[in-house]
Amino acid sequence: MKRLLIPAMLSLALSCASASADDTVDVGLILSLSGSGAVLGAEMKKGADLALEMSGGKLGGLNARFIYEDDQRKPDVGKTAAEKLTRSEKVDFVIGPSYSNVMMAVHTPVIRSRTILISPNPAPADLAGKSCNENYFVVPFQNDQPSEALGLHLNGKGVKRVFVVAPNYQAGKDVVDGFKRTFKGEIVSEIYTSLEQNDFSAEMTEIKSRAPEAVLAFMPGGLGVQFVKQYDQAGLKGVAGLYTVFTVFNGVSLDAIGAAADGVYSVDQWTYDLDNDANRAFVEAFQKKYGTLPSNFAAMAYDSVRLIDGAVAVAGGIGDMNAVRKAMKEAKFHSVRGDFAFNNNQHPIHSMYLAKVADENGARAVRREALIAEKMADSFATDCALK
C-alpha cells in the first residue's frame, strides 16, 4: 500500500504544480529603462502597467506577472535579458524591446526557445519577410511603413525635393529605405548621424545650402528634442516643412521641445484623438493615472498587453500555446486603433495618418490632421512563408 501511495502523491503534486503554472501568465518585458533611451522605455512601461491594471491584474482571466529587464539600449544586454527570461524565468511571452538594434539581438534567443515575442515598437525589415516567424508578432507597424506613407503624402502635395536625416542604425536605414520606395521626387541629401549626437549645426547648415521643399527627420527620443529645437533656432521652418517619424510625441518630447515643435508634422499609425471606445478609455485612464496625454509608445505597449489578454481568453488559458498563437493571429482584442488585423507575416494592416503639433489654449499635442492610407500592408509580407 505504501509503495502505491508515494507514486500517487508524487503524481498529484506534479499535477498541482502543472495546474499552478498554467494558472499564471508570466510576461517578460525587455525595455530600455536607463540611459539616453530610457524615455521610450519609461513610456512603454506606463502603457503596459496600465493595461494590466485595467484588466484587474489578470490576462485572459488568469493571474498575471510582469518581469521587467532593462536592456540599456545595448544589444548584448538585451540578449542576456532574453536568455534569462526564456531559460530561467520560463516566461510565456516576451514584450520588447524598445529599439531595433536590440530587437535584432533579442529575436533569435526568444524565438529559438519557442516563446512568443511581441514587439511594442521596433519592427526591422529583416524580420518581416523571409525571416518571419510564427512566434514573432508586431503590434505597431513595420519600420518602413510611416516613411512609405509620407512618400505617398508628399507625392500628392507635388513636393519634388526632400532632405533626409536619420540615425545610423537599423531603424534609421529602414525609414530611409521606406521613403525611397514611394517618394517620386529627388532626395537632395541623405545624412546618417550618431545615436548619441546632440549637436546638429552641421546638418542645419547643409539643409540651408540645399534649400529643399521638405525635410524628413527620424530622430527618436532625446535626439528629437535637440533636432527640432535646433531646426527652429536655425530659422529653417520658413525654408522647408519639417516632416518626422518617431520624433515628436505626447508625453515624451513635446514638453521638452516647447514652442519649437509647433507646426512640425508626424506620420503615425495612432493618435490620441482617434474616435473609438477602446482609445477613449485608454486615453482617459492614462491621463488620470499619469497626468499627461499618452505617447505612441505607451499606446502600443498597452495594445501589446491587450493582445495577450484577448488571445489567452479565446484560447481558454495557456495550456495550449498553439491555440494561443492562433488566437493572437486573429487579433481578438479591442485595439486603441479601432479595427486591427495582422497580415500573414504577423505585422499589422492599418491606417496611416498625417499628424501635426499644435498648441490650443496652452495644450500642445500631436493631433491627427489627415488620413494618408487605409488598410496599408507592409512591403515585405509577400516574402513571408506564413499563411
Side-chain angles (χ1 to χ4, degrees):
M1 183 70 173
K2 288 183 180 179
R3 275 181 284 186
L4 291 174
L5 181 62
I6 293 174
M9 292 178 64
L10 179 59
S11 175
L12 179 63
L14 289 173
S15 174
C16 290
S18 176
S20 175
D22 286 349
D23 283 344
T24 300
V25 182
D26 290 326
V27 182
L29 296 99
I30 304 173
L31 302 173
S32 299
L33 297 171
S34 62
S36 57
V39 63
L40 271 62
E43 279 291 298
M44 293 178 199
K45 186 176 187 302
K46 288 179 181 179
D49 287 346
L50 179 62
L52 187 59
E53 179 181 311
M54 290 178 69
S55 65
K58 296 179 180 292
L59 294 176
L62 302 179
N63 292 328
R65 180 175 68 130
F66 279 3
I67 305 170
Y68 280 101
E69 293 288 334
D70 177 13
D71 62 41
Q72 305 170 41
R73 206 177 69 184
K74 297 176 181 178
D76 58 332
V77 177
K79 181 180 179 182
T80 299
E83 291 170 345
K84 174 185 174 183
L85 289 171
T86 56
R87 294 178 183 177
S88 301
E89 299 290 349
K90 300 188 184 303
V91 297
D92 303 297
F93 305 89
V94 172
I95 295 176
S98 307
Y99 286 84
S100 290
N101 57 334
V102 183
M103 175 60 83
M104 296 306 293
V106 162
H107 182 270
T108 297
V110 176
I111 296 305
R112 185 185 292 141
S113 73
R114 299 277 304 156
T115 306
I116 294 175
L117 173 62
I118 304 169
S119 172
N121 184 52
D126 288 352
L127 304 179
K130 292 180 180 178
S131 296
C132 66
N133 189 282
E134 66 174 357
N135 290 303
Y136 176 55
F137 292 81
V138 172
V139 167
F141 40 63
Q142 192 279 315
N143 282 353
D144 303 37
Q145 280 187 298
S147 55
E148 286 179 345
L150 177 59
L152 297 174
H153 174 73
L154 294 181
N155 291 339
K157 287 177 61 69
V159 173
K160 302 297 184 186
R161 303 177 73 253
V162 176
F163 188 106
V164 175
V165 58
N168 188 21
Y169 79 120
Q170 180 72 45
K173 294 172 183 176
D174 286 349
V175 165
V176 176
D177 286 345
F179 185 67
K180 289 178 177 178
R181 195 171 292 122
T182 58
F183 181 59
K184 296 180 180 179
E186 177 190 1
I187 295 178
V188 299
S189 188
E190 180 180 329
I191 293 180
Y192 293 92
T193 67
S194 164
L195 265 173
E196 307 301 330
Q197 188 167 327
N198 289 310
D199 182 1
F200 298 98
S201 55
E203 287 75 17
M204 301 305 162
T205 298
E206 184 161 353
I207 292 172
K208 282 184 179 179
S209 68
R210 297 281 186 169
E213 296 172 73
V215 172
L216 162 59
F218 162 44
M219 290 287 157
L223 294 179
V225 174
Q226 296 304 319
F227 186 90
V228 175
K229 279 186 172 182
Q230 291 172 41
Y231 194 90
D232 182 58
Q233 291 164 0
L236 287 170
K237 283 184 178 178
V239 174
L242 179 56
Y243 292 82
T244 68
V245 293
F246 320 130
T247 298
V248 289
F249 291 103
N250 303 318
V252 174
S253 59
L254 287 191
D255 289 345
I257 297 172
D262 292 345
V264 173
Y265 291 99
S266 180
V267 180
D268 300 297
Q269 82 288 3
W270 171 88
T271 59
Y272 82 95
D273 51 354
L274 288 181
D275 187 18
N276 66 72
D277 290 342
N279 192 51
R280 283 190 291 271
F282 163 64
V283 172
E284 181 181 349
F286 194 95
Q287 286 185 294
K288 182 177 180 181
K289 184 174 180 66
Y290 300 113
T292 64
L293 283 172
S295 69
N296 211 303
F297 304 109
M300 295 304 99
Y302 176 89
D303 257 8
S304 297
V305 176
R306 297 281 294 168
L307 173 63
I308 295 173
D309 181 46
V312 173
V314 170
I318 53 175
D320 181 355
M321 291 304 288
N322 287 326
V324 173
R325 289 184 191 89
K326 182 176 184 294
M328 288 185 72
K329 192 155 188 172
E330 294 171 354
K332 300 293 187 181
F333 75 109
H334 297 294
S335 169
V336 295
R337 276 177 280 182
D339 292 339
F340 182 97
F342 282 118
N343 207 338
N344 66 296
N345 64 346
Q346 299 175 175
H347 289 59
I349 299 173
H350 52 175
S351 296
M352 298 299 298
Y353 303 94
L354 181 72
K356 187 177 182 179
V357 179
D359 185 1
E360 296 179 9
N361 302 319
R364 183 172 287 107
V366 183
R367 293 183 168 88
R368 180 167 43 106
E369 184 161 282
L371 174 67
I372 297 176
E374 192 173 14
K375 295 184 179 179
M376 182 180 182
D378 70 271
S379 297
F380 303 95
T382 54
D383 295 327
C384 174
L386 296 176
K387 303 298 183 182

